[in-house]
Amino acid sequence: MFATILFFVFAAVLVGAALGVVLARNPVHSALLLVLCFVASAVIWLLLEAEFLGIVLVLVYVGAVMVLFLFVVMMLDINVEQLRKGIAGYWPIAVAVAGFVVFAMLNVLVARRLGGLALKTAPALPAGYSNTRALGEVLFTRYAYPAQVAAVILLVASVAAIVLTLRRRPGLKPQDVAQQVAVRAADRVRLVKMPAERRP
Amino acid sequence: MSAFNPVEFNAGLALAEPEIFLTLAACAILLVDLLLGQASRRVSGLLSVLALLATAALVAAHPVEGRVVALGGLFELDRMAQVLKVATLLIVAASYVYSTDYLARRDILKGEYFVLGLFAALGALVLISAASLITLYLGLELMSLCLYAMVAFDRDSGVAAESAIKYFVLGSMASGTLLYGMSIIYGMSGSLDLATIAAAAQGGLGDNVGMIFGIAFIIVGVGFKLGAVPFHMWVPDVYEGSPTPVTVFIGTASKLGAFALIMRLLPEALGAAQGDWSQMLTVLCVLSLAIGNLVALAQTNLKRMLAYSTISHVGFTLLGILSGTVPGYQAAMFYMVTYTLVASGAFGMILLLARQGFEADRISDFRGLNARSPWFAGLMAGLMFSLAGLPPFVGFWAKLGVIQAVLGVGDTWLAVIAVMFSVVGAFYYLRVVKVMYFEEPVDTAPLGGSMVMRLVLSANALLVLALGIVPGALLAICQRALT
């Protein structure tokens, strides 16, 4: 019972925050609301006993991805008013299309309940069930092939990011650590013998 | 869900030999490229072509009978997969041969271009042999991510950056829609496995409204990836804005991947709901034929014209798929394979005519080509005739096949529309021929292109004629691929 109440509370927070992401005028607010979305869905995962996924969602998405997003959004200094000018003429069409899609989707999802499919509750998990262990077991056995493909996708992402952004500019003076380590005192310090001056 | 068997898994690795080889080769080329100087960049290109040819040989070396599933039920190999894989690999290899000079002139000849292309080809292979929604999606994303980066490869070009952003944003939206559709199908059938979904659809879920809901999202996603109207907005801009070698890639290899995607999702997994998705595809098909052909009439840029022509050819391919019969699927596959062959030749011609600071992507740039090079003007005319669907070129047989397929299921009105719009289409293809033969050249510079490129391009165009005269062999391959 308590879990059901928690579920509805966090589901409501999730839906509200998701609407906020799209509707907020300020992109920084949008990004912060997206963080709230991630946290709320992490809690829903925790309720389903998927602890590992829930924690990874908070650590990776909230901790790393969204912080980066926030930095980018704050640095870009987007002029929202100027962006809005272009869209202004299209909103009646957008509202009409979106309204039709929402109507059609509600018709299938709510009125016809996806063709009368019975809703099932998640089966209770055995005591001592470890989500991390279960994930690890399928990831490295049954799903080893897609895990490898996902690894290739990550490799492609890093290759593409480097090739699109790395520029070699002439005239830069970067540190060369090897050269710094290999330096000897004789190269840098010159001892000059000077006769001491006599006091007049 | 059967228990995992390591022995079986390891035995299945032999079936994925081409994919494993291509992955290792791409990583090796990435490392070798580091050691090469700027002067010997072409070596990476050569190695990549060799890797692609070796992978194609590995695929062709072990023909399979029927459908073999391996790697924990996530990978499948059948004749359709093998034919599409060989076609994709050869087309990518040809596009590398065409693009090396162009990239060198634009000062973007880097090893990473070839490596990204190899990974995109790998993505297409994974997609083509996917037996599960997971591998299907991962393969598609691997291919698309490489293509986004390749479109932006000329990073000093504003137009390329703009089209890369358009392609990325619309492509991500399409992926999201596809994923939503897949999640609904998963929720309804309880499985990610294509065969299990097919069984569930057969067992009464087929015309459930929820299933149709999922199919609608899947068709939107696939429509985006194929570039069918009304999801075609990105096609002309991306074709025009990308560097021409990348246009070849998007116009050919990625279309073969998208064809595999639609074949795996619709006839294979959701065959029981054929009546529903046929209706949706009919709308896409008629709109693609109409808008593709009519808007192409108004284009002065050859790359844009070919983009709209792609849209119309996608319409023709859908004609075969929506018939929902095995001969229809065979005709659609023949159409897609031969279309990519013709398109790679046509884009190759643009690359041949391009020079330093000159793109040769307007139709007027082909003015008087006959006076400059009768051989290549003849080949280009052949390619245009094939796109228009005139005999004795292969495009004629492809169009004949799909039209026969819709006539076979009694959709005479669709066949009439298809023929009508292919007559409209003939006008703009023949305009290119007219410009080449009946107008005076304004530009008398000799044609560029290395000897190898000229040879491969000639072979490509002659193959279009040869397959038009003796289409039997390729038709038989496509018929054996899908039974």
Side-chain angles (χ1 to χ4, degrees):
Chain A
M1 186 61 207
F2 179 60
T4 318
I5 295 172
L6 273 184
F7 170 78
F8 279 109
V9 169
F10 281 100
V13 171
L14 175 57
V15 173
L19 279 175
V21 174
V22 187
L23 298 175
R25 282 178 174 261
N26 187 333
V28 178
H29 294 170
S30 281
L32 287 172
L33 283 166
L34 195 55
V35 170
L36 185 59
C37 271
F38 285 137
V39 174
S41 28
V43 173
I44 292 177
W45 271 352
L46 286 180
L47 288 173
L48 281 171
E49 295 188 50
E51 296 88 1
F52 180 74
L53 288 178
I55 290 166
V56 165
L57 186 68
V58 172
L59 283 182
V60 176
Y61 277 87
V62 178
V65 176
M66 285 316 296
V67 170
L68 194 71
F69 252 62
L70 271 176
F71 273 129
V72 173
V73 169
M74 285 176 180
M75 275 198 274
L76 280 181
D77 186 27
I78 302 163
N79 186 347
V80 186
E81 287 311 309
Q82 209 167 4
L83 282 177
R84 270 171 204 282
K85 262 182 207 157
I87 311 172
Y90 292 104
W91 72 264
I93 308 171
V95 167
V97 172
F100 174 72
V101 172
V102 168
F103 168 75
M105 286 175 70
L106 284 180
N107 183 29
V108 175
L109 292 175
V110 180
R112 298 168 73 172
R113 304 203 70 154
L114 272 180
L117 199 72
L119 292 177
K120 286 181 200 156
T121 47
L125 294 163
Y129 167 82
S130 159
N131 179 238
T132 317
R133 189 192 161 95
L135 267 180
E137 273 174 3
V138 291
L139 197 59
F140 295 108
T141 57
R142 174 173 291 273
Y143 291 103
Y145 172 56
Q148 293 294 323
V149 180
V152 175
I153 291 181
L154 291 182
L155 175 65
V156 164
S158 54
V159 170
I162 291 170
V163 82
L164 292 181
T165 55
L166 178 70
R167 284 174 194 270
R168 289 185 206 286
R169 292 189 186 80
L172 288 184
K173 291 177 180 166
Q175 287 183 319
D176 184 346
V177 178
Q179 214 179 359
Q180 287 178 332
V181 171
V183 82
R184 284 167 301 141
D187 300 337
R188 297 285 166 88
V189 184
R190 190 160 54 98
L191 292 175
V192 182
K193 199 163 189 100
M194 291 180 80
E197 272 193 35
R198 198 174 295 160
R199 191 177 297 223
Chain B
M1 203 160 155
S2 58
F4 177 75
N5 181 348
V7 178
E8 210 175 284
F9 186 89
N10 288 342
L13 285 176
L15 291 171
E17 222 172 34
E19 281 85 352
I20 297 170
F21 174 77
L22 190 58
T23 317
L24 295 178
C27 294
I29 291 168
L30 190 61
L31 291 178
V32 168
D33 183 67
L34 271 181
L35 307 174
L36 293 172
Q38 194 57 45
S40 46
R41 278 289 171 249
R42 279 162 201 270
V43 176
S44 316
L46 180 68
L47 286 175
S48 307
V49 171
L50 290 178
L52 287 165
L53 294 180
T55 315
L58 277 175
V59 176
H62 306 288
V64 289
E65 287 299 334
R67 179 172 179 271
V68 192
V69 178
L71 302 182
L74 297 164
F75 177 93
E76 75 174 293
L77 203 57
D78 52 10
R79 276 189 176 273
M80 180 186 89
Q82 290 192 315
V83 175
L84 287 178
K85 280 181 186 177
V86 172
T88 310
L89 292 164
L90 293 182
I91 289 273
V92 174
S95 87
Y96 280 178
V97 174
Y98 300 158
S99 44
T100 315
D101 287 329
Y102 180 94
L103 295 171
R105 273 194 306 269
R106 280 262 198 122
D107 213 17
I108 46 173
L109 184 64
K110 294 183 201 157
E112 288 83 4
Y113 176 83
F114 298 108
V115 172
L116 284 173
L118 289 181
F119 280 126
L122 176 69
L125 298 196
V126 171
L127 169 60
I128 288 168
S129 350
S132 146
L133 295 180
I134 287 201
T135 31
L136 209 57
Y137 183 72
L138 283 175
L140 179 69
E141 280 306 280
L142 178 54
M143 183 174 84
S144 309
L145 285 172
C146 294
L147 290 177
Y148 302 146
M150 283 165 80
V151 173
F153 208 79
D154 188 4
R155 54 188 192 186
D156 296 323
S157 153
V159 190
E162 183 193 328
S163 51
I165 284 286
K166 271 183 195 159
Y167 191 29
F168 177 66
V169 171
L170 288 176
S172 318
M173 242 180 74
S175 297
T177 317
L178 190 66
L179 212 50
Y180 189 47
M182 285 177 173
S183 72
I184 293 171
I185 301 286
Y186 170 66
M188 301 291 296
S189 64
S191 174
L192 291 168
D193 189 44
L194 297 185
T196 319
I197 295 173
Q202 203 75 51
L205 262 184
D207 20 285
N208 183 301
V209 69
M211 208 69 163
I212 299 166
F213 191 60
I215 292 173
F217 281 101
I218 283 184
I219 286 190
V220 172
V222 174
F224 259 113
K225 296 287 172 193
L226 272 173
V229 181
F231 313 111
H232 67 290
M233 259 67 112
W234 60 273
V235 181
D237 288 352
V238 171
Y239 272 43
E240 190 192 355
S242 344
T244 315
V246 186
T247 314
V248 188
F249 216 109
I250 297 174
T252 57
S254 92
K255 289 283 177 283
L256 285 171
F259 175 75
L261 176 72
I262 196 168
M263 287 303 286
R264 292 278 181 233
L265 279 173
L266 298 183
E268 191 175 320
L270 298 162
Q274 190 255 330
D276 297 305
W277 52 255
S278 273
Q279 281 177 5
M280 302 184 206
L281 288 184
T282 308
V283 177
L284 297 194
C285 165
V286 172
L287 285 176
S288 300
L289 285 173
I291 295 195
N293 280 313
L294 292 178
V295 182
L297 291 175
Q299 303 304 320
T300 54
N301 183 302
L302 189 56
K303 273 159 90 180
R304 273 189 102 80
M305 188 198 98
L306 286 174
Y308 282 105
S309 126
T310 308
I311 295 171
S312 77
H313 287 286
V314 165
F316 274 106
T317 313
L318 291 179
L319 218 52
I321 298 173
L322 68 87
S323 72
T325 56
V326 173
Y329 303 148
Q330 290 165 351
M333 183 167 163
F334 182 77
Y335 200 102
M336 212 25 140
V337 171
T338 55
Y339 169 70
T340 53
L341 182 72
V342 180
S344 79
F347 285 115
M349 285 292 174
I350 301 181
L351 287 168
L352 180 74
L353 261 65
R355 289 195 307 273
Q356 186 83 44
F358 175 68
E359 281 292 325
D361 62 351
R362 285 169 306 164
I363 295 176
S364 55
D365 293 336
F366 279 73
R367 206 175 277 167
L369 183 63
N370 184 41
R372 291 164 65 195
S373 165
W375 173 247
F376 282 104
L379 294 181
M380 183 68 176
L383 292 169
M384 287 295 130
F385 286 144
S386 179
L387 284 172
L390 299 181
F393 297 95
V394 72
F396 169 72
W397 298 104
K399 284 202 167 62
L400 186 68
V402 289
I403 289 173
Q404 273 177 341
V406 281
L407 284 178
V409 291
D411 283 340
T412 318
W413 66 277
L414 264 178
V416 172
I417 288 182
V419 172
M420 224 168 66
F421 280 113
S422 67
V423 173
V424 174
F427 170 77
Y428 58 84
Y429 296 123
L430 293 181
R431 190 174 55 187
V432 178
V433 177
K434 177 211 144 209
V435 162
M436 287 192 303
Y437 281 89
F438 300 108
E439 287 188 18
E440 290 303 312
V442 268
D443 169 21
T444 46
L447 297 189
S450 61
M451 206 56 207
V452 185
M453 173 179 174
R454 285 163 170 249
L455 276 177
V456 175
L457 189 54
S458 304
N460 184 337
L462 288 177
L463 194 58
V464 171
L465 177 62
L467 283 173
I469 295 168
V470 246
L474 187 60
L475 271 175
I477 289 175
C478 289
Q479 277 162 4
R480 282 180 63 197
L482 284 155
T483 44

